[in-house]
């Protein structure tokens, strides 16, 4: 699943660790989310959306290319 997490994190000037602390997850989880190696649980996706003040669908894109 594609996402804009790295872009949004950059807009706020947060490191991966700073974002991880705000989400109560590990820095490795943030890295895996940003690189597309891990899709967030629904509760985590909602938490991310609330943190950035955006609808989930503007952060995460579930469209399959092809």
């Amino acid at each position: 699943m594609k996402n804009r997490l790295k872009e949004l994190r950059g807009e706020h000037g947060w490191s991966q660790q700073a974002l991880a602390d705000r989400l109560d997850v590990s820095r490795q989880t943030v890295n895996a989310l940003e690189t597309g190696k891990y899709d967030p649980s629904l509760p985590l996706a909602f938490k991310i959306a609330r943190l950035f003040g955006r609808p989930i669908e503007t952060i995460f894109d579930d469209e399959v290319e092809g």
Side-chain angles (χ1 to χ4, degrees), residues 5 7-8 14 17 21 26 31 35 37 39-41 45 48 51 53-55 59 66:
L5 203 52
E7 175 187 341
L8 292 169
W14 295 339
Q17 186 62 58
D21 291 344
S26 70
N31 181 266
T35 58
K37 295 178 182 170
D39 291 337
S41 65
I48 291 167
L51 178 65
R54 297 173 182 253
I59 300 173

Side-chain angles (χ1 to χ4, degrees), residues 29-43:
T29 297
V30 171
N31 181 266
L33 287 166
E34 288 184 355
T35 58
K37 295 178 182 170
Y38 172 73
D39 291 337
S41 65
L42 195 52

